[in-house]
């Protein structure tokens, strides 16, 4: 069962010294910084590139989702899902729902974050890239790009610029991801699409 149903709000206790702003937990666009308590924030924690000290106190439902998905996935994420990456995947799905995007669009976004970061919300990357999607600084501030919900919304903003009037629906899903991300490795998104669809279907 998707863990969003059994845990409508994820509550985290930040235990890592690599979290931004002394343990900032990231929620939807613009909400994390405004909530001083953080007690009601569901969030995909930012982590250092080497993942040292990136553990957190995650709900049991997130662990269960990761275990279930590890049994189903066959590509890069097979056996590598954990509570943190399941939570980040869930934020991509929830941001997609909030924008009224369908599961196909969510799978395109999910394949992108699998390729870019294996569902890790990195606080660094190539040059000025950060976040799940490794978005460059022309997208927005580092804090914005490290907000998983905001970053997903920004991904869809770019998708709609590249493919106006939902014209992306006429293209191969991997091609859409590539045309939004403009990667030097255009074929990689297509190869992660099966896992992306499985994750989205589970969390939807």
């Amino acid at each position: 069962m998707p863990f969003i149903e059994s845990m409508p709000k994820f509550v985290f206790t930040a235990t890592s010294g690599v979290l931004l702003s002394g343990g900032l937990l990231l929620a939807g666009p613009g909400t994390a910084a405004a909530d001083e308590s953080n007690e009601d924030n569901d969030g995909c924690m930012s982590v250092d590139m080497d993942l040292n000290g990136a553990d957190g106190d995650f709900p049991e439902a997130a662990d269960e989702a990761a275990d279930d998905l590890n049994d189903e996935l066959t590509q890069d994420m097979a056996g590598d899902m954990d509570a943190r990456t399941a939570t980040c995947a869930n934020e991509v799905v929830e941001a997609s729902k909030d924008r009224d995007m369908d599961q196909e669009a969510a799978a395109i976004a999910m394949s992108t974050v699998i390729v870019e970061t294996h569902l890790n919300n990195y606080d660094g990357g190539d040059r000025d890239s950060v976040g799940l999607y490794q978005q460059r600084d022309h997208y927005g501030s580092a804090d914005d790009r490290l907000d998983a919900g905001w970053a997903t919304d920004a991904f869809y903003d770019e998708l709609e610029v590249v493919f106006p009037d939902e014209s992306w629906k006429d293209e191969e899903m991997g091609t859409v991801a590539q045309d939004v991300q403009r990667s030097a490795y255009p074929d990689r998104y297509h190869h992660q699409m099966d896992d992306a669809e499985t994750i989205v279907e589970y969390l939807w």
Side-chain angles (χ1 to χ4, degrees):
M1 178 179 69
F3 65 88
I4 189 63
E5 295 179 10
S6 60
M7 182 71 65
K9 289 283 187 180
F10 305 149
V11 179
F12 297 103
T13 301
T15 60
S16 171
V18 301
L19 300 182
L20 293 181
S21 302
L24 173 65
L25 302 179
L26 303 174
T31 62
D35 184 352
E36 294 180 0
S37 72
N38 287 326
E39 291 180 356
D40 295 326
N41 283 350
D42 48 339
C44 169
M45 295 190 297
S46 65
V47 296
D48 211 343
M49 287 296 291
D50 60 8
L51 292 179
N52 286 336
D55 293 334
D57 184 10
F58 295 93
E60 183 178 342
D63 279 312
E64 291 175 357
D67 288 342
D68 289 346
L69 286 166
N70 279 329
D71 289 338
E72 297 182 34
L73 301 177
T74 61
Q75 296 161 313
D76 278 12
M77 296 307 298
D80 286 332
M81 292 293 292
D82 57 25
R84 185 184 64 256
T85 55
T87 298
C88 290
N90 187 68
E91 288 215 14
V92 172
V93 168
E94 290 304 300
S96 302
K97 289 180 178 180
D98 288 346
R99 192 167 171 130
D100 294 325
M101 304 300 279
D102 60 18
Q103 289 190 40
E104 184 176 359
I108 293 169
M110 194 70 67
S111 73
T112 301
V113 296
I114 291 172
V115 169
E116 298 294 342
T117 59
H118 290 112
L119 290 167
N120 288 293
N121 195 21
Y122 287 127
D123 63 6
D126 179 42
R127 291 173 287 183
D128 52 21
S129 301
V130 299
L132 283 175
Y133 296 85
Q134 288 291 282
Q135 290 161 332
R136 301 292 304 277
D137 62 2
H138 65 269
Y139 274 87
S141 71
D143 284 350
D144 283 342
R145 288 174 285 148
L146 284 166
D147 182 315
W150 189 99
T152 300
D153 213 37
F155 175 84
Y156 288 133
D157 285 344
E158 185 69 12
L159 181 149
E160 291 177 356
V161 168
V162 177
F163 296 99
D165 301 319
E166 298 188 333
S167 56
W168 60 269
K169 292 186 175 182
D170 298 326
E171 303 289 340
E172 293 283 341
M173 294 166 72
T175 299
V176 175
Q178 165 60 18
D179 286 353
V180 173
Q181 290 294 106
R182 302 178 183 91
S183 169
Y185 306 98
D187 297 330
R188 291 184 178 181
Y189 305 105
H190 172 76
H191 293 305
Q192 301 305 320
M193 203 59 70
D194 287 347
D195 272 4
E197 290 179 312
T198 297
I199 293 170
V200 168
E201 177 66 27
Y202 182 92
L203 295 173
W204 199 262

